[in-house]
Structures are given as C-alpha cells and as structure tokens.
Amino acid sequence: MLKYGQKVFLKNYGAGLVIDKEYKEYLNKKEEKYVLLYFLLDGIKMHIPIKNFKNYSIRDINTQDDILKNLNKIKTTPDFIEEKWNKRYKQNNKKISTGILEKQCEIIRDLRYLKMEKKLPPVEQKMLKRVQGLVASEISLAFDISLEMSYNKIKTISK
C-alpha cells in the first residue's frame, strides 16, 4: 500500500505525492478509507478510496536513469508519423492512456517534429503541451527540481 510522501504517477494527472490517509472508525476498529494524493501538474488533490484503488492504475515514478533513457527518444527522428491528424490523435490518446513514459516521449518527439514542419493542428498543439506537462511532472519529482526546470529540461533535449 502507499506510504506518506511516496512519489506516484497517475496516467491523466501526472506525477504526485501521497500526502495523507484518511481513516474511519467502525466497530471500534480504525480502517483506512482514502488515500489523498497531490498532483504537481494542475495542483489537484484527489481522494482515492482504498477499495477502488486498483482501478486507478497508479504506478511509482520512474528512476532518474529510466527517465534519461526515455528522454533520449525525443532527440531521435520519427520512423513513421500517421498523416491523418484525427487518426494520429486517437493513436496518441491511446498512448497517453497507458501512462508509460516511453510512449509519452514518443508523442513529444512526433508532435514536435510536426510542429517544426508547421504541420501541427491546434488540437495536437494542446495535446503536446499536456504530454510535456505529464513528463515534466515526473522529471520534477524524480530529480527533485521545479516544474519549470523540468519543462526546460525537455526543451533543451529536443533541440
């Protein structure tokens, strides 16, 4: 089970911290009912019921080595990018929903490439910004740096 201060990642919210657990007393027995998480990206606090915890796909954040390895994907040139933006958008949403850092870095690489080619529609510009935020939040917690510094780390890698 999660511990106070543990660094976690939730696929649509980014990286966050376990900041509290709520207990309820029932028949003179103290039971854990909720875990309270704080997510860096949007400053959201979320109560997650212990009984539904497995439905949330919460994972530990990646190690610094894993993050650096995956960030190197951003530097590479894409092998193939779907030409139809709506099909590409759906594919990228599926990648985001996995919560896997490698997939998120692939999205950043591909969308940044399209942005440089001036072929990135507004809806995908918004997606790029969101995915960069998800990755930046994980970098921030793993390297113990500010969110702004994490964004800068992503920017400098892709130049």
Side-chain angles (χ1 to χ4, degrees):
M1 191 44 69
L2 297 177
K3 299 176 286 220
Y4 178 80
Q6 185 174 346
K7 299 172 181 180
V8 296
F9 188 91
L10 184 57
K11 60 186 173 185
N12 290 318
Y13 296 92
L17 297 166
V18 175
I19 58 172
D20 202 4
K21 291 183 179 181
E22 287 189 14
Y23 298 88
K24 300 286 184 194
E25 200 164 310
Y26 181 71
L27 298 174
N28 295 328
K29 201 176 186 181
K30 206 174 185 183
E31 286 184 11
E32 273 185 51
K33 286 293 185 180
Y34 297 94
V35 173
L36 180 61
L37 302 173
Y38 172 76
F39 294 99
L40 297 181
L41 190 54
D42 297 320
I44 293 174
K45 289 182 181 177
M46 179 185 291
H47 284 85
I48 297 180
I50 299 295
K51 66 180 181 179
N52 298 337
F53 198 73
K54 291 181 182 175
N55 299 339
Y56 284 87
S57 302
I58 294 175
R59 64 166 172 81
D60 288 328
I61 62 168
N62 285 288
T63 65
Q64 290 181 359
D65 289 339
D66 286 341
I67 289 173
L68 291 173
K69 183 183 87 176
N70 283 299
L71 285 176
N72 282 326
K73 286 190 180 299
I74 296 172
K75 293 180 189 178
T76 63
T77 305
D79 296 330
F80 170 77
I81 298 178
E82 174 61 47
E83 287 190 37
K84 295 181 180 177
W85 76 267
N86 54 352
K87 191 171 181 183
R88 186 174 59 236
Y89 184 80
K90 287 178 187 177
Q91 291 170 346
N92 285 336
N93 266 328
K94 282 183 184 178
K95 286 182 181 181
I96 292 169
S97 71
T98 66
I100 298 171
L101 180 62
E102 179 181 10
K103 303 284 185 194
Q104 294 168 346
C105 289
E106 288 172 4
I107 293 169
I108 293 171
R109 175 198 64 200
D110 295 351
L111 295 183
R112 282 204 163 170
Y113 177 82
L114 290 171
K115 188 174 182 177
M116 286 179 4
E117 297 290 314
K118 302 192 185 325
K119 296 179 181 176
L120 191 64
V123 70
E124 286 187 303
Q125 289 177 16
K126 187 176 179 180
M127 176 183 274
L128 174 60
K129 188 175 182 180
R130 183 66 186 173
V131 175
Q132 286 174 331
L134 295 173
V135 173
S137 69
E138 191 159 6
I139 292 170
S140 180
L141 284 183
F143 288 88
D144 198 24
I145 59 176
S146 72
L147 205 50
E148 186 179 332
M149 289 173 69
S150 299
Y151 277 111
N152 288 335
K153 193 173 192 80
I154 293 170
K155 282 181 185 178
T156 57
I157 283 175
S158 61
K159 286 186 178 180

